[in-house]
Amino acid sequence: MNAAPPMLHLEDVYVSYPNRHGEPVMILNDIDLKVSQGEFITVVGPSGCGKSTLLRLILGAEAPTQGAVLLDGKQLDAPNRNRGIVFQKYSLFPHLSVVDNIIFGLDAEAHGMFKGWLQPGKMRQKRRAFREQAQVYLERIGLADAADKFPHELSGGMRQRVAIAQSLIMKPRILLMDEPFGALDHATRTEMQLFILEQWEQAKMTVFFVTHDLEEACFLGSRVMVLSQYYQTDRGRGQGAKIVGDFGTPGGHPKPTDFLYSDEMKQMVNRIRHEGLNPDFLQHIKDFNLTHRDAFRTVDPKEWQGES
Amino acid sequence: MKFLSMYAKFGPVTSALLSASLFVACIAVYLTASHLRHQENPKDKVMPTIGKMWQGVENTAFKGDRKGDYRLWVDTWASAKRLGYSTLLLVLAVWLGLHMGLYPFFEAVFYRFILFFDKVPALALLPILFIIFGLGELSKVMLILLGVFPTIALDTYLRAKAVPREQVIKGRTLGASSAKITYGIVLPQIMPDVLNTIRLNFKAMVLFLIAGESLAATAGLGYRIFVVRRYIAMEIIIPYVIWMSLLAFVADLLIRLWIKKRYTWYQAQ
């Protein structure tokens, strides 16, 4: 798998927003990132570090101020069906039943908005086929009986399951998730974590998962990425977040739940907390923990003379 | 005074009685006053008795006038047509508002214009409308339409804008076209709110209808009450007013029931 060219490739990506005086403020500073197919990447970092911005770049909902965001070698420009997304909220369409939410993408693709009505018989037939297909997903997410319910009749965890199925049925290249379990209670959350690992394994998909929960990140990810604005370069304190850590998690994947209580887990979480989330600890960019096999970076010599 | 407390609970019968009480009181006051006036002057025209009003209804609804027209129905039909056409044309307002909310081009072109247009008092346009469109049906339909068009368009615009961006992004990641996002995601979600706005603006529409009819018409509910006013024909005016209110109430009720039936997900939001 490692020999295959990376499906997702970001190089020298900078993002800055104007502040309220109109001066640009750097949010993401020289992000370099390669992702191979089948990886489960979790992204953590202090709040406001630009995790969601990075996700929106990959989604195509936002363009970088500078740099390239490539999926399968092509520059991304708009969200499309190659990348599915699950948000923390508002993922489901409230006016559609569960099954109609799930087949929404297939239906939109086959019939557009009005095109299907040119051949209503054919449309009905196709929709029936889509519903059958959705039933498979409904069974997989354990909601076979809820097909005709509306999103407001479901619990938070159920809603997220439907949102995941809704994206998965389109077989996206990457499934992006923006703190999808952030609003769930602890028990549901654990259940959902196991659920997404199961789906990941079954569908052999690539997941890009943003979270602020370090334990969640270390448990779920086959690769953990730490994004942080707390670091220093040769020129002093850094501006805008860089990837300060990028490493594989030990012990295979997916992990047994015991891993959550292991010493390895504790060490990893503590290290991330110290190196990434502590505003008083400014790690020099030469010391970043970029040990994942796909990790790479281009270094600005003004920031660090050391690397050739 | 437990029944006045915030936490008072009423059974179905009590609450029905309480709801009816003001209606009953109003009718009782009217009947008493009417009775007293008739004792003084049996030919009193200002507060006709129920019997006289019933006669008024009979004469307009169930007996032809000199031309053989059943006036109440002719008037109702004439007014309903005007309201119906303008309501149909409101589809344009909804369409425009929806597009203003989702497409920057439409927003840039129309938003400020409609915002300004909204501040033009529609009744002040009435003479202009009469001059441009003549005294026929068109000017009355236009008056009703212009009176509520900006409100409906702006309301739809705000509601379309308030739909979370996530929904649009989600639609795009599922391969939905712009048309599908517009008419398949956003419109159905705001439709119950839009219907509610139209429902609440029904009153303004009736207002413009009556204003138009009172100035130039040959039939219509508003036209009639202004005509018979000259003869102080209260026995016709009062039933007409009640009839108009009743029709408006029924229209309102129908829309509410439709929303409840068609948009089951909406109530629970």
Side-chain angles (χ1 to χ4, degrees), chain A residues 59 78-81 83 85 87 90-95 104-105 112-114 152 163 166-167 170, chain B residues 164 166-167 169-177 179-180 183-185 188-189 264-266 268-269:
Chain A
L59 185 61
N80 63 34
R81 56 153 302 171
R83 279 140 297 144
I85 176 99
F87 294 109
Y90 307 123
S91 259
L92 293 179
F93 303 123
H95 63 292
F104 182 90
M113 182 66 217
F114 306 110
H152 71 262
Q166 182 189 37
S167 291
M170 298 306 285
Chain B
E166 282 92 335
Q167 294 265 313
I169 293 179
K170 185 88 194 193
R172 293 180 84 179
T173 65
L174 294 174
S177 62
K180 182 78 179 175
Y183 305 110
I185 296 177
Q189 281 186 46
T264 39
W265 54 270
Y266 176 69
Q269 286 283 296

Side-chain angles (χ1 to χ4, degrees), chain A:
Chain A
M1 195 155 61
N2 208 8
M7 60 186 294
L8 185 68
H9 184 112
L10 276 73
E11 193 160 333
D12 299 335
V13 167
Y14 295 82
V15 172
S16 47
Y17 295 137
N19 66 5
R20 69 197 140 100
H21 306 297
E23 298 142 3
V25 173
M26 181 109 54
I27 304 293
L28 295 179
N29 184 341
D30 196 4
I31 300 289
D32 299 310
L33 168 68
K34 257 195 277 193
V35 177
S36 310
Q37 181 144 10
E39 199 90 65
F40 196 128
I41 300 184
T42 49
V43 181
V44 285
S47 51
C49 73
K51 297 186 292 273
S52 295
T53 305
L54 181 61
L55 183 115
R56 281 203 299 276
L57 285 178
I58 300 172
L59 185 61
E62 201 168 312
T65 313
Q66 199 185 314
V69 183
L70 308 171
L71 180 71
D72 298 321
K74 281 197 224 73
Q75 178 80 31
L76 292 177
D77 52 0
N80 63 34
R81 56 153 302 171
N82 285 330
R83 279 140 297 144
I85 176 99
V86 176
F87 294 109
Q88 184 173 339
K89 282 195 293 182
Y90 307 123
S91 259
L92 293 179
F93 303 123
H95 63 292
L96 296 177
S97 68
V98 165
V99 67
D100 286 339
N101 260 291
I102 292 179
I103 68 166
F104 182 90
L106 295 175
D107 189 48
E109 198 167 56
H111 306 125
M113 182 66 217
F114 306 110
K115 214 173 64 200
W117 292 102
L118 295 177
Q119 291 167 298
K122 213 169 159 195
M123 177 164 74
R124 266 193 292 276
Q125 199 182 335
K126 267 200 163 160
R127 279 196 177 146
R128 215 171 302 132
F130 291 157
R131 290 217 166 88
E132 269 163 40
Q133 207 177 329
Q135 204 58 37
V136 176
Y137 282 84
L138 279 168
E139 263 154 43
R140 216 202 268 176
I141 63 174
L143 287 174
D145 301 330
D148 294 319
K149 288 195 170 155
F150 280 87
H152 71 262
E153 297 170 283
L154 306 179
S155 70
M158 288 163 145
R159 258 181 253 169
Q160 291 306 69
R161 284 174 198 230
V162 177
I164 290 167
Q166 182 189 37
S167 291
L168 286 187
I169 203 167
M170 298 306 285
K171 302 197 166 58
R173 299 281 285 134
I174 307 183
L175 181 62
L176 302 164
M177 306 182 92
D178 194 358
E179 306 210 10
F181 311 145
L184 306 178
D185 62 78
H186 184 76
T188 317
R189 196 171 178 145
T190 314
E191 189 190 317
M192 290 301 291
Q193 287 169 355
L194 296 174
F195 169 75
I196 189 67
L197 283 175
E198 213 177 277
Q199 300 302 315
W200 174 76
E201 237 187 331
Q202 271 189 33
K204 299 193 172 42
M205 54 183 175
T206 312
V207 177
F208 196 91
F209 189 106
V210 168
T211 175
H212 62 261
D213 182 328
L214 300 183
E215 277 86 2
E216 182 170 77
C218 295
F219 175 62
L220 285 182
S222 63
R223 173 179 179 184
V224 177
M225 205 173 279
V226 187
L227 201 64
S228 176
Q229 66 273 52
Y230 307 134
Y231 63 88
Q232 57 177 324
T233 67
D234 286 350
R235 299 200 295 181
R237 201 189 163 124
Q239 268 292 318
K242 282 184 188 293
I243 296 173
V244 308
D246 184 354
F247 46 89
T249 51
H253 200 77
K255 301 172 182 49
T257 33
D258 317 354
F259 183 77
L260 274 168
Y261 312 101
S262 68
D263 284 340
E264 267 175 318
M265 173 83 169
K266 267 187 212 117
Q267 276 166 19
M268 199 153 47
V269 167
N270 283 334
R271 185 166 176 196
I272 296 173
R273 188 165 283 139
H274 180 62
E275 292 178 356
L277 269 59
N278 180 359
D280 300 321
F281 178 76
L282 299 179
Q283 198 182 17
H284 193 277
I285 58 172
K286 68 174 188 275
D287 301 321
F288 287 173
N289 174 16
L290 306 175
T291 54
H292 191 270
R293 56 172 191 266
D294 285 336
F296 82 108
R297 66 171 169 185
T298 55
V299 175
D300 184 343
K302 275 181 256 158
E303 293 189 329
W304 178 26
Q305 288 291 347
E307 192 161 87
S308 50

